[in-house]
Amino acid sequence: EYSEDSTFYSIAYTMLLNFDNLQNLSINDVANLCHVSKSTISKFVRSLNFEDYSDFKAEAYFKENRFNSDYNYIANQDANTYIDKVIQDIEIIKNIDMTVIRKIAQIIYQYPKVTAFGTLFSQLGALDLQYKLAYNHKFIMSYVNDVKQDEYLKNNSEQGVVIIYSNSGNYLNKYQLSSFDEKKKYDYKNKKVILITANEMMVNHPDVDICLVYQHLSKLQTHSYIYPLINDLIVAEYRSFQNANF
């Protein structure tokens, strides 16, 4: 979000270049590395919604499978086996509940204000829907920045539909980008919540108005392939509502 000639952009870029070593760097070290003052580093981390540099540094590390998921992105297997398993998960989309797909499409058609959110790979689903609906003259909002997503969801006066992509369903329950397992609790009274997830237990979640569940047959994180297919089905149904009213 920062322009390339801004100080914050330079700090962010320098930190990314030294990402693997951030855990060993003090705020003085980072300030020297970025050729700025400590106070500028403090302002930068606060702009990212961290309380201070220590809070930022605690989150600035990569840990393989930090949430102990049973699913993997790429299994230790040959390419053909991997591709076969991805295809297997894609094939099962044929069994998805088209009644729910049609409900989602109808709501998108009826409501003027629609947003779509997710984190990490699930955000790809939100952006894919945004692009495909825009091609069909329906413009929805999406924020990649998780802080902006949070701010929007906390705004009780904002009316509309929120479509959440969350393979695990945990988006509604906790901050997934935080290692502190911090719980979420919003008041969705002015928002209709649609959840697209592989977690069938989320069907009865009190904050979810409509839950579209897809299945995994493999132990791979294939949702980055599955979401675009689901979105194609939603958009096709959206077009049918659109055409029926012209």
Side-chain angles (χ1 to χ4, degrees), residues 21-243:
N21 199 35
L22 277 181
Q23 283 297 296
N24 304 316
L25 300 178
S26 67
I27 190 171
N28 278 325
D29 295 330
V30 173
N32 291 333
L33 191 65
C34 297
H35 305 290
V36 296
S37 66
K38 287 198 304 181
S39 62
T40 301
I41 297 297
S42 293
K43 289 176 184 176
F44 170 75
V45 299
R46 284 199 296 272
S47 76
L48 299 177
N49 217 39
F50 292 101
E51 298 221 357
D52 53 31
Y53 179 75
S54 296
D55 189 25
F56 166 80
K57 193 165 89 165
E59 294 291 328
Y61 75 101
F62 176 78
K63 181 181 178 182
E64 185 77 22
N65 195 15
R66 69 159 69 177
F67 300 117
N68 299 313
S69 171
D70 290 334
Y71 294 91
N72 296 306
Y73 287 102
I74 297 178
N76 294 321
Q77 54 200 337
D78 64 87
N80 287 337
T81 302
Y82 171 72
I83 292 169
D84 285 344
K85 288 185 176 180
V86 171
I87 292 171
Q88 185 183 49
D89 278 358
I90 290 173
E91 281 281 334
I92 204 170
I93 294 301
K94 292 176 182 177
N95 300 325
I96 204 161
D97 192 336
M98 286 303 299
T99 303
V100 179
I101 291 281
R102 281 188 284 273
K103 283 182 182 177
I104 293 171
Q106 184 176 24
I107 288 169
I108 291 172
Y109 180 79
Q110 291 175 337
Y111 279 74
K113 183 68 175 288
V114 179
T115 58
F117 296 148
T119 56
L120 300 175
F121 290 95
S122 289
Q123 178 62 17
L124 297 175
L127 294 175
D128 180 76
L129 182 67
Q130 184 183 38
Y131 300 150
K132 288 172 178 174
L133 284 173
Y135 188 79
N136 289 279
H137 308 287
K138 175 71 177 187
F139 301 100
I140 70 172
M141 292 195 336
S142 184
Y143 299 122
V144 175
N145 187 317
D146 62 303
V147 175
K148 286 192 173 182
Q149 292 182 19
D150 198 48
E151 288 173 352
Y152 176 80
L153 293 172
K154 284 180 176 177
N155 185 349
N156 294 334
S157 64
E158 228 12 288
Q159 295 186 349
V161 177
V162 180
I163 303 172
I164 295 172
Y165 292 78
S166 179
N167 189 59
S168 66
N170 284 332
Y171 184 102
L172 276 76
N173 300 322
K174 66 181 181 180
Y175 291 94
Q176 294 176 284
L177 299 182
S178 172
S179 61
F180 297 113
D181 202 31
E182 186 180 353
K183 304 301 181 185
K184 278 184 182 178
K185 186 59 184 175
Y186 301 126
D187 182 354
Y188 291 106
K189 64 182 179 182
N190 287 321
K191 299 178 178 68
K192 183 176 286 292
V193 177
I194 297 170
L195 177 64
I196 300 175
T197 183
N199 185 353
E200 61 184 16
M201 301 298 291
M202 295 301 292
V203 170
N204 298 316
H205 193 285
D207 292 328
V208 175
D209 296 288
I210 296 177
C211 188
L212 178 66
V213 179
Y214 56 88
Q215 293 178 299
H216 280 294
L217 290 179
S218 73
K219 284 293 183 180
L220 297 174
Q221 293 280 25
T222 53
H223 51 293
S224 58
Y225 304 106
I226 290 171
Y227 289 147
L229 297 177
I230 290 174
N231 289 341
D232 286 343
L233 297 176
I234 292 171
V235 173
E237 291 296 327
Y238 173 83
R239 285 173 65 93
S240 70
F241 285 110
Q242 191 180 50
N243 293 335

